[in-house]
Amino acid sequence: MGIVLVVSSRAHTGGLPATQPWSGELSPTLVAAARIVATIKASEAKWITAGGRALLVWSPCFAFASYRFGPSGTAFAASLLLASVWLICLRSARAAVHFTLGIPVRTAVGTVTGLVGVSAMALWVPGLGMSTSTLLVLALSVFTLTAIWEGLVQRLVGKRRIVVVGPSSAADAVAEAVAFEGHTHFTVIGAVNDGPDDTFRLGSVAELSRIVDIERPDLIVIGNGEASSAAIDRLLTTSSRDFKVVGLPHFFDYAFGRVPLDDLTPSWFMSILHIWQRPYTRFAKRTFDVVCASVGLILAAPLMLVIACLVRLTPGPIIYRQIRVGEGGRPFTIYKFRTMRRDAEEPGEPAYAQENDPRVTPVGRMLRKTHLDELPQLWVVLKGDMSIVGPRPERPEFIPMLEEAVPFFTRRLLVKPGITGWAQLRRDYASDLEGAADKLSYDLWYVRHRNVVVDLAICAKTFSTLFMRPGR
């Protein structure tokens, strides 16, 4: 049933109605439940959200149990047991998987973890034995219903309201980042500081507790500066406790999956070596790379032969070789299918690749749009010079210039470069220093948060981008 839903809801502070459109294929029950959530205060909506999630996870479990045991108390107890395992795993995934990776990734991790738990439980609980196909159908049902519910509620409950403690320029930066990222989850109310009055200023730091009691923000972002300690003192005296507090760099990290270079200090890199940092061992990373590269080369071998014949139609070599800088600043040779003319660069005069680059051949343009020119790099991954996921490898000719112009640029060399990566997904080719700095902010986020789940999420997003938005 195709629908177009428009919900007019009031923010929990009693502000003007906020109309938010959504269109898609949903059952009337889900829509009706989500509309109820949209009219409830944000502090209360989480309980309705959790209840809806529990009901949707329990429903397919009860359907299976009723088929197995018939409509009885045994079926009800079995369905509660199955649903509990999945709900616990879904909750753990929401806490463990980074917010910026999105609802589908967090839900998929929770569903897969729950599938393992349910499979193990079915072996030990009499009468709960299930075939592989039944388990997969249950898992798919849990993933689909939960992802739809979480996405719908996130759209309808309303944006999280933010107050920035710091100069109005910091609040402007947050608001611009929200707009630039196309984020629908946050809205900036204003700034609290001791500077001159402007249209974005809500009041002074001394008035912070009163401002919080009136505005009822969901999140308070504190910028670096002398006002931060005074702000914390004021927040501890507020009558409201329905808000969270986060520093400006950590807010960018959480909300946008990048690090604000202007607010970055050398001490930030301590978080990479922090005692609470979960390790992503070289063995686990290397195993992931070898498995993915080997499978990729086997599957892509026939296609690579066709591409080689197409590239050979224009003068020049089939494989393009170039020196790049890898982990620890060590140089290595990268291999790609040639996409440019033979005379694309003058000797000794390196140049950035550009969007719609005139040096690209017709075949090369197609290869770049589909990123099939990257396939020979799978061999470089097997050699150990690159990873499947990591920062884009840079040319040594550009390193001194970038190191001088972009703070902390060489810190991206703490890990191996990758065929795909977080920065490549979030931003297109960098053709100038500003673009390089922008991509570095995403690369540093990856350096800090890399793990198997993040790598798998980046790979999944890469494939979805290739099929849904080729050329990105």
Side-chain angles (χ1 to χ4, degrees):
M1 174 180 177
I3 60 169
V4 176
L5 175 66
V6 177
V7 176
S8 178
S9 63
R10 290 189 177 272
H12 61 273
T13 56
L16 295 175
T19 301
Q20 300 183 11
W22 190 90
S23 61
E25 296 288 334
L26 290 174
S27 71
T29 303
L30 281 179
V31 174
R35 293 185 66 143
I36 294 174
V37 172
T39 65
I40 300 176
K41 292 182 179 181
S43 59
E44 300 172 352
K46 62 181 180 181
W47 299 108
I48 304 298
T49 303
R53 184 189 309 116
L55 179 62
L56 291 173
V57 171
W58 172 78
S59 297
C61 295
F62 182 70
F64 159 75
S66 297
Y67 176 78
R68 173 64 61 85
F69 302 106
S72 62
T74 302
F76 184 75
S79 64
L80 286 180
L81 190 60
L82 293 172
S84 297
V85 174
W86 251 307
L87 287 170
I88 291 171
C89 293
L90 287 167
R91 181 179 177 83
S92 300
R94 288 198 307 277
V97 179
H98 205 282
F99 168 82
T100 196
L101 293 178
I103 289 174
V105 173
R106 297 200 302 272
T107 305
V109 171
T111 302
V112 171
T113 307
L115 178 62
V116 175
V118 167
S119 301
M121 185 180 65
L123 296 176
W124 297 99
V125 178
L128 274 187
M130 289 177 271
S131 64
T132 302
S133 59
T134 301
L135 279 170
L136 291 178
V137 169
L138 268 178
L140 183 61
S141 301
V142 169
F143 170 78
T144 303
L145 292 173
T146 304
I148 290 175
W149 173 251
E150 300 284 355
L152 188 60
V153 168
Q154 185 170 276
R155 289 173 182 267
L156 298 181
V157 164
K159 299 180 180 182
R160 299 177 68 180
R161 294 159 53 82
I162 299 173
V163 166
V164 179
V165 178
S168 294
S169 59
D172 285 332
V174 174
E176 289 175 4
V178 169
F180 183 69
E181 297 284 347
H183 238 305
T184 60
H185 313 310
F186 306 100
T187 183
V188 180
I189 304 171
V192 175
N193 57 64
D194 293 328
D197 290 338
D198 58 32
T199 55
F200 224 34
R201 183 174 179 269
L202 298 173
S204 66
V205 176
E207 301 173 291
L208 180 58
S209 58
R210 179 185 63 82
I211 292 170
V212 170
D213 290 337
I214 294 174
E215 297 291 345
R216 298 287 179 176
D218 302 299
L219 197 62
I220 298 176
V221 179
I222 300 182
N224 297 326
E226 298 178 358
S228 59
S229 58
I232 296 297
D233 291 337
R234 296 291 178 182
L235 291 174
L236 292 174
T237 64
T238 60
S239 60
S240 172
R241 289 292 183 273
D242 293 330
F243 60 84
K244 301 295 184 182
V245 179
V246 66
L248 185 63
H250 290 92
F251 173 72
F252 273 76
D253 183 302
Y254 165 79
F256 309 125
R258 62 186 174 98
V259 180
L261 299 182
D262 293 339
D263 295 281
L264 200 61
T265 62
S267 61
W268 178 88
F269 292 93
M270 184 177 68
S271 63
I272 300 174
L273 307 172
H274 198 274
I275 189 173
W276 298 117
Q277 181 75 6
R278 286 172 290 185
Y280 188 20
T281 64
R282 285 183 173 272
F283 176 76
K285 177 73 166 174
R286 184 62 183 152
T287 301
F288 179 86
D289 290 339
V290 169
V291 170
C292 291
S294 300
V295 172
L297 280 173
I298 293 172
L299 295 178
L303 178 60
M304 292 174 70
L305 288 175
V306 174
I307 294 173
C309 294
L310 293 175
V311 174
R312 198 70 182 88
L313 296 176
T314 58
I318 295 174
I319 298 296
Y320 175 72
R321 296 171 175 82
Q322 193 177 70
I323 300 298
R324 298 289 179 96
V325 178
E327 184 181 18
R330 293 185 294 272
F332 70 97
T333 302
I334 196 173
Y335 304 97
K336 300 171 70 172
F337 284 117
R338 179 177 56 83
T339 59
M340 291 188 177
R341 304 189 309 264
R342 180 188 293 176
D343 59 346
E345 281 185 355
E346 296 292 335
E349 296 183 10
Y352 272 116
Q354 302 175 6
E355 191 175 355
N356 300 320
D357 200 315
R359 301 171 296 170
V360 177
T361 65
V363 172
R365 188 167 291 107
M366 179 270 294
L367 294 178
R368 286 192 168 205
K369 280 184 174 294
T370 57
H371 295 274
L372 292 176
D373 59 318
E374 312 271 359
L375 287 176
Q377 292 185 70
L378 293 171
W379 170 246
V380 185
V381 172
L382 282 181
K383 289 176 58 182
D385 292 325
M386 290 182 65
S387 290
I388 295 295
V389 179
R392 193 173 189 85
E394 195 54 78
R395 298 178 64 175
E397 296 90 346
F398 296 139
I399 293 293
M401 174 184 63
L402 292 169
E403 187 177 7
E404 181 179 352
V406 181
F408 307 109
F409 184 81
T410 54
R411 294 294 186 267
R412 68 201 298 274
L413 302 179
L414 290 169
V415 297
K416 288 181 182 179
I419 297 177
T420 185
W422 187 239
Q424 290 95 300
L425 283 176
R426 302 302 290 265
R427 291 294 173 264
D428 293 328
Y429 285 108
S431 57
D432 52 27
L433 293 177
E434 183 179 354
D438 193 34
K439 297 191 75 168
L440 175 64
S441 67
Y442 293 97
D443 283 331
L444 292 180
W445 182 91
Y446 174 77
V447 170
R448 180 179 181 182
H449 294 284
R450 68 192 190 281
N451 56 46
V452 173
V453 172
V454 171
D455 279 5
L456 285 171
I458 290 173
C459 289
K461 287 177 178 290
T462 299
F463 281 111
S464 66
T465 300
L466 290 178
F467 287 110
M468 298 175 64
R469 291 178 292 173
R472 171 95 187 251

